[in-house]
Amino acid sequence: MRRLFALIAALWAMPVAAQDMGDCAALAAVALPDAAGLTAQPVDPGAFALPPRASSGMSITGELPSAPNPGFCRIRATLKPSAVSAIRVEVWLPLRGWNGKMIGVGNFGWGGDLPFANMLAGLARGYAVAGNDTGHEGGEGGEFLLGKPEVLVDYAWRANHLMTVMAKDLITRAYGARPKRSYWIGCSLGGLQGLIEARRFPQDYDGVVAGAPPNPLTLFNAAQLWPNWLIAQDPRRALPPQKLAALHGAVLRACAKEAGALYGYVEDPAHCAFDPAAIACAKTDGADCLAARQVDFVRMVYRGPVEPKTGKVIFPGPARGSEMEWSPFINGREFINAADLFRYAAFQDPSWRASTMVWARDVMAASDRLAPLIHVDDDFTAFAARGGRLLLYVGGNDYHNPAELADYLHRIHARLGEKADHYARMFVIPGMGHCAGSDGCDAWDKVDAIDAWVDRKAGRAPREVGGHGRTQPLCYYPDVPTYRGAGDPALAASYQCAAPKN
């Protein structure tokens, strides 16, 4: 029996022969539920030009598309599951050399645009790809939700699920076979979308890459509003750029190791216990020290907001070492991306302002209203039961504290029980900001990583993250890249993945 199972597994893991599709234009005649304006047109190699706002905040392959597009069948439709719904969806099918697999591409921020750059990146690898605009046009804020509860449902989960169903239907019609593997890849909003898909519709995807998923979204957005709310109560708490830089420098001196000291980041923020009192002004205020109110302010930012009655932390603040990423949250102005979740999604009140948030009331009220739609618990047992793989990642410099995501992973593992890490794993990428950028390496191939893990390809586990002209190992949590003590600090070969030292 073991040999039979091994043979079946080996056959399942064999490469899929590349497939060509037939008549692209004929797909325009397909009748799809709730779909309007369906078109299907062949696009010649090199004929597609990326429009403005094509980025999804990160690259699913670790690099921007540079080669001309391969030929593909471009299918467009507007899905209308409700009277006010208008979800723009595109499905791109390779005319030649389909690899038998599909990628659903996540959005960023408030959505509102199709993630064309990452769709093109997946297409160039031979995948069928699908993307949507989350049910509205323009991604500047949440005003599109005012008076439209059905559009909130589209934004929360319906757009991605219906897109996935539509894409699989079209793929089956075009090639005569359903995709052998289907992957979701996204970061920030796209990461949350991946969690929602895996939890709510475990049959949709075989592998999900969820980067920096802001979950629970209401609580995370509250944490983003917290620093500017503190400043609104006492403007003397504000940190001008010089003081912020001084704070970050002090953190590096206290906690950075070999690579971090050289390149400007903390390798292992979970074990950094820096206290801002270390740079408190001795007598008079100055650009390189913190006044007493500012010391307390930084401590409160690190901690995160608390429930006034219980003192319980609502959502952890950012990790030590992330200070240079704080600017949008400590500039004394309302952070619109987070405030609009309360203003429009939860309260439907254009006059609501974050600076007057009532912490004993507003956070829980918003959470109660939105949790059924956009909060994701830790129960991925149905997803794992069908062999699904969940790959989480976050940057060490992200305002999203890696320790919070690690705690979520621990809860997922507790649910899954024995061999939990066969189904859910995580990377913490030192020095990376929100999905990309900042001081650490930030470029790695999410497509190859999830495909290798799901199909169990020997020797294809993700190994390196690159950027800024250097590389480092990509280590599964809780391991961290550790300098071997010799070799070029810019090269991954000079490091090993090892358990962190307290």
Side-chain angles (χ1 to χ4, degrees), residues 164-481:
T164 303
V165 172
M166 169 184 165
K168 289 185 176 182
D169 187 345
L170 290 167
I171 289 169
T172 303
R173 294 173 187 271
Y175 300 108
R178 289 178 61 81
K180 177 190 172 185
R181 299 293 194 201
S182 298
Y183 306 130
W184 177 273
I185 305 177
C187 192
S188 195
L189 173 62
L192 177 59
Q193 290 171 326
L195 294 184
I196 292 171
E197 272 290 304
R199 177 65 179 90
R200 191 181 283 261
F201 303 104
Q203 74 282 1
D204 278 2
Y205 291 96
D206 303 291
V208 167
V209 180
N215 179 59
L217 182 59
T218 310
L219 308 188
F220 175 73
N221 281 174
Q224 290 181 309
L225 297 174
W226 172 243
N228 275 329
W229 181 87
L230 290 170
I231 292 171
Q233 313 315 305
D234 185 351
R236 290 171 293 180
R237 290 168 169 162
L239 296 181
Q242 300 95 322
K243 284 181 177 277
L244 191 63
L247 171 64
H248 182 60
V251 174
L252 294 182
R253 290 190 296 274
C255 297
K257 298 180 176 63
E258 294 86 355
L262 187 61
Y263 299 119
Y265 59 85
V266 174
E267 293 94 326
D268 182 20
H271 293 93
C272 177
F274 171 82
D275 186 339
I279 59 167
C281 299
K283 294 181 179 180
T284 59
D285 196 1
D288 59 350
C289 65
L290 302 181
R293 293 174 188 272
Q294 294 168 332
V295 169
D296 289 340
F297 170 68
V298 172
R299 286 173 175 162
M300 289 188 284
V301 172
Y302 285 141
R303 183 198 61 196
V306 297
E307 296 176 357
K309 293 182 180 179
T310 66
K312 180 182 177 182
V313 173
I314 292 171
F315 197 96
R320 272 74 169 169
S322 67
E323 296 78 21
M324 300 311 292
E325 306 297 309
W326 292 7
S327 295
F329 313 109
I330 63 167
N331 58 13
R333 299 188 296 272
E334 185 179 70
F335 185 56
I336 298 297
N337 195 61
D340 275 4
L341 186 80
F342 291 84
R343 186 164 26 244
Y344 296 114
F347 300 142
Q348 294 283 298
D349 180 4
S351 68
W352 186 90
R353 292 294 177 266
S355 60
T356 57
M357 176 186 283
V358 179
W359 291 88
R361 178 194 66 200
D362 290 359
V363 176
M364 286 302 102
S367 182
D368 288 345
R369 295 178 189 181
L370 298 179
L373 288 174
I374 57 175
H375 291 189
V376 188
D377 65 17
D378 49 32
D379 187 359
F380 291 89
T381 51
F383 184 61
R386 60 176 298 272
R389 301 294 197 272
L390 175 62
L391 185 55
L392 304 170
Y393 74 94
V394 67
N397 279 10
D398 199 331
Y399 194 84
H400 186 165
N401 195 322
E404 187 281 330
L405 193 59
D407 181 66
Y408 185 55
L409 178 69
H410 289 315
R411 300 201 306 272
I412 293 172
H413 280 184
R415 288 267 197 175
L416 296 179
E418 188 179 3
K419 297 184 178 180
D421 65 350
H422 285 257
Y423 305 105
R425 298 177 183 175
M426 181 175 111
F427 295 121
V428 177
I429 303 177
M432 188 179 83
H434 186 54
C435 297
S438 199
D439 301 306
C441 300
D442 65 345
W444 62 286
D445 195 327
K446 293 88 174 166
V447 174
D448 193 62
I450 195 64
D451 186 49
W453 187 20
V454 171
D455 267 349
R456 298 178 294 281
K457 295 181 176 70
R460 294 269 313 275
R463 297 186 181 280
E464 291 185 1
V465 56
H468 303 287
R470 57 187 191 267
T471 59
Q472 275 200 335
L474 198 55
C475 302
Y476 283 123
Y477 173 85
D479 286 358
V480 296

Side-chain angles (χ1 to χ4, degrees), residues 43-55 65-70 72 74 76 90 92 114-120 123:
V43 179
D44 292 333
F48 181 79
L50 282 175
R53 300 178 62 92
S55 173
S66 57
N69 66 277
F72 68 100
R74 185 181 187 183
R76 289 179 276 189
E90 295 204 17
W92 296 358
L114 282 94
F116 287 123
N118 278 326
M119 292 175 69
L120 184 57
L123 184 74

Side-chain angles (χ1 to χ4, degrees), residues 129 132 140 177 192 235 479:
V129 294
N132 71 82
E140 300 304 323
L192 177 59
D479 286 358

Side-chain angles (χ1 to χ4, degrees), residues 52-69:
R53 300 178 62 92
S55 173
S56 290
M58 60 90 193
S59 167
I60 65 172
T61 58
E63 57 188 8
L64 294 175
S66 57
N69 66 277

Side-chain angles (χ1 to χ4, degrees), residues 30-123:
V30 171
L32 296 173
D34 301 319
L38 181 68
T39 64
Q41 300 171 320
V43 179
D44 292 333
F48 181 79
L50 282 175
R53 300 178 62 92
S55 173
S56 290
M58 60 90 193
S59 167
I60 65 172
T61 58
E63 57 188 8
L64 294 175
S66 57
N69 66 277
F72 68 100
C73 181
R74 185 181 187 183
I75 305 167
R76 289 179 276 189
T78 300
L79 300 181
K80 296 180 175 293
S82 78
V84 296
S85 295
I87 306 165
R88 291 182 297 152
V89 175
E90 295 204 17
V91 179
W92 296 358
L93 308 180
L95 294 175
R96 303 285 181 269
W98 177 51
N99 66 6
K101 303 173 186 180
M102 168 193 159
I103 294 174
V105 180
N107 302 90
F108 205 76
W110 277 101
D113 299 284
L114 282 94
F116 287 123
N118 278 326
M119 292 175 69
L120 184 57
L123 184 74

